[in-house]
Amino acid sequence: APIDRIRNFSIIAHIDHGKSTLADRLIQRTGGLTDREMSEQVLDNMDIERERGITIKAQTVRLNYTAKNGESYVLNLMDTPGHVDFAYEVSRSLAACEGALLVVDAAQGVEAQTLANVYQSIEHDHEIVPVINKIDLPAAEPEKVKAEIEDIIGLPADDAVLASAKTGIGIDEILEAIVHRIPPPKGDPNAPLKAMLVDSWYDPYLGVVILVRVIDGALKKGQQVKFMQAGTIHLIDRVGCFRPKIETLDALGPGEIGFITAQIKEVSQTAVGDTITDAKRPTAAPLPGFKEAQPVVFCGLFPVDANDFEKLRESMYKLRLNDASFSFEMETSAALGFGFRCGFLGLLHLEIIQERLSREYDLDLITTAPSVVYNIFMNDGSMKELHNPADMPDPVHIDRIEEPWIDATIYVPDEYLGSILKLCQDRRGIQKNLTYVAGRAQLTYELPLNEVVFDFYDRLKSISRGYASFDYQQIGHREGDLVKMTILVNSENVDALAMIVHRSQAEARGRHMCERMKDLIPRHLFKIPIQAAIGGRVIARETIAALRKDVTAKCYGGDISRKKKLLEKQKEGKKRMREYGSVQIPQEAFIAALRMG
Ligand code: GTP
C-alpha cells in the first residue's frame, strides 16, 4: 500500500474495559472474520490469557478499510500486552505505531494502569483518539468519563467517540477517526532496510515468527538480514501479515507491519527491540531504545516428586522456547533436592509460568519465597547480585546491602483510602503525593520492591474490594537494613523458606511464619519446634505438640472401608509432602507461609 494510506495504531485500555471485544469488532467490520469465527475472541489466543482476562503476547492484525471518502486504507491494529510486568514489550509495540485508541469503560472511568500506558503513548508522540466504550450499560456516564479524560490525563475529550464494542455502536466513527486523525507513517523506500523486531513467538508449524515494523527500505523473501543487537544473520523464508489469518506477501515496505520467518528455532535468539537490516547493505545505526529483558523476581521451583526433575527441565525448556524473558538455572537445596532457580519479569509472570507448568505439563511444584535482586557490597569493595537468599554471604564480610525500589501509583475510592495508606505504611512506603480527582484518591508511594512481591497486589485488591488499581515502575536500588531470616523446623534449617527481610520487620514476619507453619505442618509422633532466626539468634518460636492417638482410632475399629479411605487419603497427602530431617512438610506450607495475611 502507498505509505499515505497506512495507519498503524494500538489500543490502550485498562483490563476489562473492552479492548479485545473492540478489536474483534473492528476485524469483523472490515471483513477479516465471518460472524461464526467472531463467536470466539480471536486476539487473546492463549487459554491462560483468556481465563485471567489478560493479554500476554502481542498480536497484530491488518485490516482493509474503504473510508467514507471512497479511499482504501490499510490499518494495522497492534495489540499490546496488558500488564506492568511486560512494560518493555508494550513500549516496543507503541514505538511501532503512530496513534492509539484510548478505550475507557463508560461505567468505570480512568484507571491507574490506563494512565501509565497513555503517558507512554504520549511519549511516543502518538495521536490519541479517546473511545468511551460500553455506553450501552445502564451505569454508563460518558460525560463524567470525558471530564476524567480531560482532568486526569489532560487530553481533550470533546471529540471522544462514544461506542459499544458489544452492540456495534460507534464502530464506523472509530474507523473514520483512525483514518482522519491518526497520521500515516513516514519512511524512505530507497534507504537501506531498517526494521524493528516488535515481538516474536514460537509456532509449532512455522518455527519462530517475528513481528516487525519496517521503518525504511523493504523486507523480502530470500533476503539475507542482520539482527544488529544479536549480531546474527538469517535468511528470510517467509513474509506476511495476519488478517487475522496468515497471508503471505512478497514484501513489506516502509511503514508496514507484518511478520517474517527465518528458520529460527528459539525466541531467545530474537530480542524484542532489535534492529533488522540488510546483511549486505546495512543501515548506519540501530534503532534507539533497545533494552535487554531483565528478570526482577527470582524464586526456586522444585518438583514435589524428585523423579519429576527431568520432566521439569524439559517442560521449562519448552516454555522458554516461547518466552525469552523467563530464565532458569539448576539449583540444589539441602532440603528440596534438585530444582531450578528461575527469573521472571514480575510476580504475574511468575504465576503464569508456575500455572502453565502445573497445568500444561502436569507437574507438582514447590515454589520457594520469591526474592528480588539485592546488591551486596562487600567490605573488600566488590559487589555481588544476590538472587537467592540461600547464597547470602556471612554478614561480617558485608559493608551494606541495597534493595530495589519502585514508584507506585494507586487509584482508590475515598472510602478505602485509610486502609490503603496503612498497607503502604506497613510495607515501608514513603508517601509522595495524594490528590483527589473525580471522587477518587490518586496516591503515589515509593516502596521497596521486596515488600510488594509477596502479596501486596492481592492485599490491595481485597482491602478495596477490587476497586483499587496499581501500577509501578522501578526507580533503582537504595541502601536498607536487611537481614537473612531462616526458618528451622525441628532444628533443621529449611533453606527454601529463608528470606531477606528488613530488620524492623524481621520479628513480626518471623512470628507470623512460625504461626503459619504451626498450622500447616501436621502433628508427628514427637514434639516439633519451629523457629525463626537471624544468624544464630532465635526471634520467634512455636511448638507443634506431639500426636497421641492413632488417626484411625476415630473410626471405631468397625468400618473397614472408611478406615481404608482414611489411610489412602493419608497416602495421597504424603505424596505432596517434603521430608525435612524427620519432619514432613506439606507442599502448601511453602507458599502459604509466605502470605503475610
Ligand atoms: P483484557 O483482554 O483483559 O485486557 O480485557 P479487555 O480490555 O480486552 O476486555 P474484553 O474485551 O475482554 O471485555 C471485558 C468484558 O467487557 C467482557 O465481558 C466483554 O463482553 C465486556 N464488554 C466489552 N465491550 C463491551 C460493551 O461495549 N458493552 C458491554 N456491556 N460490555 C462490553
Side-chain angles (χ1 to χ4, degrees):
I3 197 161
D4 62 329
R5 298 289 172 78
I6 300 173
R7 299 292 182 274
N8 299 318
F9 69 103
S10 65
I11 304 180
I12 305 168
H14 189 70
I15 290 167
D16 272 354
H17 285 202
K19 184 169 80 176
S20 311
T21 312
L22 176 61
D24 290 353
R25 186 65 68 185
L26 293 173
I27 294 167
Q28 184 194 31
R29 184 61 57 96
T30 53
L33 282 179
T34 62
D35 289 349
R36 199 176 61 80
E37 288 166 324
M38 265 300 291
S39 63
E40 283 179 49
Q41 280 205 345
V42 286
L43 280 193
D44 285 354
N45 55 6
M46 277 167 65
D47 279 356
I48 293 178
E49 286 187 25
R50 194 166 312 156
E51 265 172 47
R52 296 180 151 240
I54 47 160
T55 311
I56 302 160
K57 274 284 158 200
Q59 277 280 11
T60 184
V61 185
R62 180 177 292 207
L63 315 169
N64 284 344
Y65 176 63
T66 305
K68 297 226 161 80
N69 63 11
E71 305 280 359
S72 307
Y73 293 87
V74 168
L75 315 181
N76 290 303
L77 158 56
M78 175 81 76
D79 195 16
T80 52
H83 192 273
V84 281
D85 285 3
F86 306 98
Y88 179 64
E89 281 75 2
V90 175
S91 85
R92 293 308 86 192
S93 302
L94 294 180
C97 299
E98 283 73 39
L101 302 178
L102 165 63
V103 176
V104 183
D105 187 317
Q108 299 292 322
V110 174
E111 314 252 9
Q113 177 70 55
T114 327
L115 280 187
N117 287 344
V118 176
Y119 290 139
Q120 274 209 38
S121 188
I122 292 171
E123 265 170 45
H124 284 100
D125 283 328
H126 281 179
E127 185 61 39
I128 298 172
V129 177
V131 173
I132 299 175
N133 189 33
K134 306 197 190 183
I135 56 157
D136 60 296
L137 289 177
E141 293 186 273
E143 287 310 312
K144 185 175 158 203
V145 174
K146 270 191 193 178
E148 277 186 22
I149 292 173
E150 295 191 340
D151 295 347
I152 304 175
I153 304 177
L155 281 177
D158 249 356
D159 41 8
V161 183
L162 303 190
S164 166
K166 192 169 165 186
T167 66
I169 303 169
I171 302 302
D172 289 337
E173 287 81 348
I174 293 173
L175 287 163
E176 288 293 310
I178 293 167
V179 163
H180 297 296
R181 285 161 67 178
I182 295 175
K186 295 191 187 84
D188 180 353
N190 301 314
L193 170 67
K194 184 179 227 164
M196 180 169 66
L197 196 161
V198 179
D199 193 9
S200 65
W201 59 91
Y202 184 78
D203 180 284
Y205 301 104
L206 304 174
V208 173
V209 178
I210 299 169
L211 187 67
V212 291
R213 155 72 198 262
V214 178
I215 315 291
D216 295 321
L219 265 171
K220 298 187 186 85
K221 185 177 167 175
Q223 188 177 11
Q224 277 230 315
V225 291
K226 180 169 186 184
F227 290 5
M228 296 177 86
Q229 301 290 349
T232 51
I233 290 184
H234 302 279
L235 184 71
I236 296 182
D237 59 13
R238 195 184 281 100
V239 176
C241 67
F242 302 101
R243 286 189 175 281
K245 291 172 197 156
I246 280 186
E247 181 174 309
T248 42
L249 300 168
D250 296 330
L252 289 169
E256 291 198 291
I257 294 174
F259 76 88
I260 55 170
T261 61
Q263 307 221 341
I264 296 172
K265 301 271 179 305
E266 288 182 32
V267 288
S268 56
Q269 294 176 274
T270 57
V272 169
D274 203 344
T275 305
I276 301 173
T277 191
D278 191 284
K280 296 189 198 81
R281 189 181 165 230
T283 182
L287 293 160
F290 175 75
K291 238 172 64 181
E292 235 168 293
Q294 274 284 341
V296 291
V297 176
F298 288 81
C299 80
L301 289 180
F302 292 83
V304 168
D305 180 348
N307 294 322
D308 279 343
F309 176 77
E310 277 307 322
K311 187 174 166 196
L312 176 59
R313 187 211 298 270
E314 271 168 35
S315 310
M316 285 181 164
Y317 271 117
K318 280 190 199 146
L319 279 185
R320 196 169 54 186
L321 279 179
N322 215 1
D323 184 349
S325 48
F326 162 54
S327 64
F328 59 93
E329 55 185 59
M330 215 182 108
E331 176 185 6
T332 47
S333 144
L336 296 176
F338 292 108
F340 298 92
R341 192 80 196 158
C342 306
F344 307 91
L345 294 175
L347 264 203
L348 178 83
H349 189 211
L350 184 162
E351 281 178 43
I352 290 167
I353 297 276
Q354 201 178 297
E355 211 168 296
R356 293 187 63 182
L357 285 170
S358 62
R359 198 188 311 186
E360 292 169 30
Y361 298 95
D362 195 27
L363 285 159
D364 261 342
L365 299 174
I366 288 174
T367 314
T368 66
S371 166
V372 298
V373 180
Y374 297 95
N375 290 342
I376 313 267
F377 292 85
M378 308 299 288
N379 287 333
D380 65 9
S382 64
M383 193 275 275
K384 298 185 182 163
E385 278 191 2
L386 182 74
H387 294 188
N388 186 349
D391 300 334
M392 173 94 146
D394 187 330
V396 301
H397 302 304
I398 296 176
D399 174 50
R400 66 181 195 282
I401 303 177
E402 289 183 357
E403 61 181 327
W405 279 67
I406 60 165
D407 204 359
T409 306
I410 300 165
Y411 266 91
V412 62
D414 235 4
E415 58 208 287
Y416 308 110
L417 180 61
S419 350
I420 299 287
L421 288 172
K422 180 166 185 314
L423 174 69
C424 293
Q425 230 55 54
D426 287 349
R427 300 294 170 90
R428 296 193 279 137
I430 302 169
Q431 191 181 320
K432 298 313 264 187
N433 205 2
L434 170 59
T435 50
Y436 291 88
V437 201
R440 276 183 299 179
Q442 180 189 348
L443 259 178
T444 48
Y445 257 94
E446 289 178 355
L447 285 155
L449 184 61
N450 91 347
E451 299 287 340
V452 173
V453 294
F454 292 102
D455 60 348
F456 184 83
Y457 190 64
D458 294 345
R459 297 280 301 142
L460 188 84
K461 285 284 176 192
S462 74
I463 287 174
S464 67
R465 295 165 180 258
Y467 281 109
S469 52
F470 168 72
D471 186 38
Y472 75 85
Q473 260 179 314
Q474 290 212 58
I475 50 172
H477 279 70
R478 290 182 191 168
E479 187 172 349
D481 188 5
L482 300 155
V483 291
K484 175 178 167 182
M485 181 170 80
T486 49
I487 301 292
L488 302 135
V489 174
N490 205 21
S491 309
E492 294 253 0
N493 178 359
V494 183
D495 53 1
L497 291 173
M499 57 167 77
I500 308 289
V501 292
H502 195 259
R503 196 184 299 276
S504 66
Q505 294 189 325
E507 214 182 296
R509 192 74 68 77
R511 211 178 311 120
H512 182 77
M513 286 276 278
C514 291
E515 281 165 16
R516 277 288 166 96
M517 294 301 282
K518 184 185 170 191
D519 293 338
L520 289 162
I521 298 175
R523 288 184 175 198
H524 285 55
L525 292 168
F526 45 89
K527 213 163 62 175
I528 305 170
I530 301 173
Q531 297 161 305
I534 297 173
R537 193 167 60 87
V538 172
I539 53 170
R541 180 193 167 106
E542 292 283 338
T543 306
I544 302 173
L547 190 66
R548 277 190 212 109
K549 285 185 206 125
D550 184 338
V551 262
T552 54
K554 63 177 153 198
C555 293
Y556 317 109
D559 187 346
I560 293 290
S561 73
R562 217 177 131 199
K563 207 178 210 170
K564 246 195 198 147
K565 243 187 215 155
L566 198 60
L567 286 171
E568 245 155 47
K569 228 175 159 183
Q570 274 190 328
K571 220 165 96 195
E572 180 65 23
K574 248 184 204 141
K575 259 192 5 211
R576 296 169 173 271
M577 305 246 199
R578 296 299 305 213
E579 214 144 330
Y580 279 83
S582 45
V583 178
Q584 296 202 320
I585 305 180
Q587 181 197 356
E588 301 83 62
F590 291 93
I591 302 163
L594 303 168
R595 304 242 173 252
M596 285 177 275

